[in-house]
Amino acid sequence: MKIEGVELRRIRMPLVAPFRTSFGVSTSREALLVRVVTPDAEGWGECVAMSEPLYSSEHVSGAAEVIRRFLLPALHAAPALDAHAVGPAFAPVKGHPMAKAAVEMAVLDAQLRAAGLSFGRFLGAVRPSVPAGVSVGIMDSIPALLDAVTGYVEAGYLRIKLKIQPGWDVEPVRAVRERFGDDLALQVDANTAYTLADARHLARLDPFGLLLIEQPLPEDDLRGHAALARLISTPVCLDESITSARAAADAIALGACSVVNIKPGRVGGYLEARRVHDVCAAHGVPVWCGGMLETGLGRAANIALAALPGFVLPGDTSASDRYYARDITAPFTLDAGHVRVPTGPGLGVVPDQEALDDVTTGTEWLSWGTN
């Protein structure tokens, strides 16, 4: 595989509504896109780092700098180039999994487009569509929350995830469960907002029959999660703590989780995400695919990943209009609560140039011989 050049493109997409979590409020999505150009095809990658280092240590501007100064030169020096060579080439660069994942995604997309092979087929997808869940941010009031959940249930989403934080947890969950009944698949996500000292309080969520509580404690507190799992009956799911297949194996061995959320950007790419899936499957641990407000490019790849056999819970694979009035690709839509896995070569989607240009805030072209 020969690369002729790489484009780094910054975009900013307004959200249809503010999205609030325990670490802040988002009104727009700033993203870094990576376009790899080869003689046979071009490939697209999406960096899921946020504008500020709040969810993780990475942020968009830093990711662009790392890709420009370190990752692309390392890739240029690789003796042979395909998607499987990306990880080893990047190994000397410590950290920065989201930047690494974006480049790997672009290389893999170009490789698969040239070969006429889809992401789903390459990764091992076994389903033509995946069940879609939706993530509901922290609201100003419980009535506003109930109105939002009502809209998502009526739209056909098969699972509701509520963001929680201290002061917004038991009562919102109680209200949703009472309004929609026990048949609603319901889970909560704390984004590391609690400590083990809150175990007794978190146990108050047990009567509501939740699918899981996601990442209640800090990401580096595996022992705390293991202790919490012994103190509550709601299954503990890890998100931010799962940074690799090895981290997943360690968490499972410690009893720190019984469910895993896989985010490709967090683990360094789709190849490592598949390894996390395989480790969890070998231990009988169910997984699901998380989301980072991706555009249609990242969403296409996530949907393909979520069609692997170990993804037995609905993920954050929402339709495009959950977040954006206009996506940069053809929109993903719900069909009986499911989203179809793209079947075309590579990601199976391409950017709409007009839509892409409308949200672009900057571009940089790096010729392969000069990066």
Side-chain angles (χ1 to χ4, degrees):
M1 184 176 177
K2 177 179 173 57
I3 293 178
E4 296 178 337
V6 176
E7 178 188 73
L8 301 183
R9 180 181 290 255
R10 299 280 289 268
I11 65 173
R12 183 180 293 275
M13 298 176 63
L15 299 176
V16 296
F19 187 66
R20 180 180 171 191
T21 69
S22 62
F23 51 81
V25 180
S26 298
T27 58
S28 64
R29 168 81 166 97
E30 184 182 8
L32 174 68
L33 303 181
V34 180
R35 181 170 66 97
V36 167
V37 178
T38 78
D40 302 311
E42 65 178 34
W44 288 88
E46 179 173 344
C47 181
V48 297
M50 299 174 66
S51 301
E52 299 175 329
L54 302 177
Y55 172 81
S56 76
S57 60
E58 291 185 84
H59 59 97
V60 174
S61 295
E65 178 74 356
V66 166
I67 291 172
R68 181 189 309 110
R69 290 187 56 195
F70 302 106
L71 300 187
L72 294 184
L75 203 60
H76 189 271
L81 181 57
D82 64 10
H84 290 285
V86 174
F90 291 169
V93 179
K94 302 302 182 184
H96 304 284
M98 294 177 181
K100 292 176 179 179
V103 178
E104 182 205 82
M105 177 181 167
V107 171
L108 180 56
D109 185 32
Q111 177 182 327
L112 295 179
R113 287 184 194 273
L117 190 65
S118 71
F119 248 70
R121 184 176 174 190
F122 172 82
L123 291 173
V126 296
R127 293 182 290 271
S129 64
V130 299
V134 67
S135 182
V136 184
I138 294 166
M139 299 286 181
D140 291 333
S141 67
I142 287 178
L145 173 67
L146 294 176
D147 287 345
V149 174
T150 297
Y152 295 131
V153 170
E154 291 177 349
Y157 283 101
L158 300 178
R159 183 227 68 195
I160 301 294
K161 179 172 83 171
L162 304 181
K163 295 288 188 175
I164 62 170
Q165 65 181 12
W168 181 267
D169 42 36
V170 175
E171 293 311 312
V173 172
R174 184 193 312 277
V176 171
R177 183 57 86 201
E178 289 178 352
R179 169 71 64 88
F180 297 97
D182 293 339
D183 291 337
L184 176 68
L186 183 63
Q187 63 191 56
V188 295
D189 181 8
N191 290 117
T192 75
Y194 298 86
T195 71
L196 186 58
D198 297 309
R200 180 174 296 181
H201 178 74
L202 292 174
R204 294 176 61 195
L205 295 171
D206 288 344
F208 301 117
L210 301 177
L211 292 175
L212 55 91
I213 179 171
E214 183 181 352
Q215 198 68 45
L217 312 183
E219 57 267 31
D220 60 353
D221 192 7
L222 287 185
R223 291 179 62 184
H225 279 102
L228 179 66
R230 294 191 294 268
L231 296 171
I232 64 175
S233 61
T234 302
V236 173
C237 170
L238 290 183
D239 172 0
E240 288 90 338
S241 297
I242 305 300
T243 56
S244 65
R246 179 179 296 174
D250 289 344
I252 293 168
L254 286 171
C257 64
S258 54
V259 186
V260 166
N261 171 1
I262 300 179
K263 288 179 178 170
R266 194 191 60 238
V267 302
Y270 286 86
L271 299 183
E272 186 67 13
R274 185 170 61 181
R275 295 184 192 105
V276 175
H277 163 274
D278 294 347
V279 165
C280 292
H283 290 85
V285 173
V287 301
W288 56 282
C289 185
M292 292 288 291
L293 309 182
E294 288 89 350
T295 72
L297 296 170
R299 197 167 304 276
N302 283 356
I303 291 168
L305 179 71
L308 269 64
F311 287 82
V312 297
L313 297 173
D316 291 336
T317 47
S318 308
S320 296
D321 64 5
R322 160 65 183 93
Y323 299 109
Y324 305 115
R326 185 188 188 189
D327 208 338
I328 60 170
T329 68
F332 286 92
T333 58
L334 281 186
D335 181 5
H338 289 68
V339 179
R340 293 197 63 81
V341 179
T343 57
L347 292 172
V349 298
V350 294
D352 176 304
Q353 194 61 50
E354 181 182 353
L356 183 60
D357 289 343
D358 283 348
V359 297
T360 294
T361 60
T363 62
E364 180 179 5
W365 173 257
L366 302 169
S367 297
W368 197 238
T370 59
N371 55 328

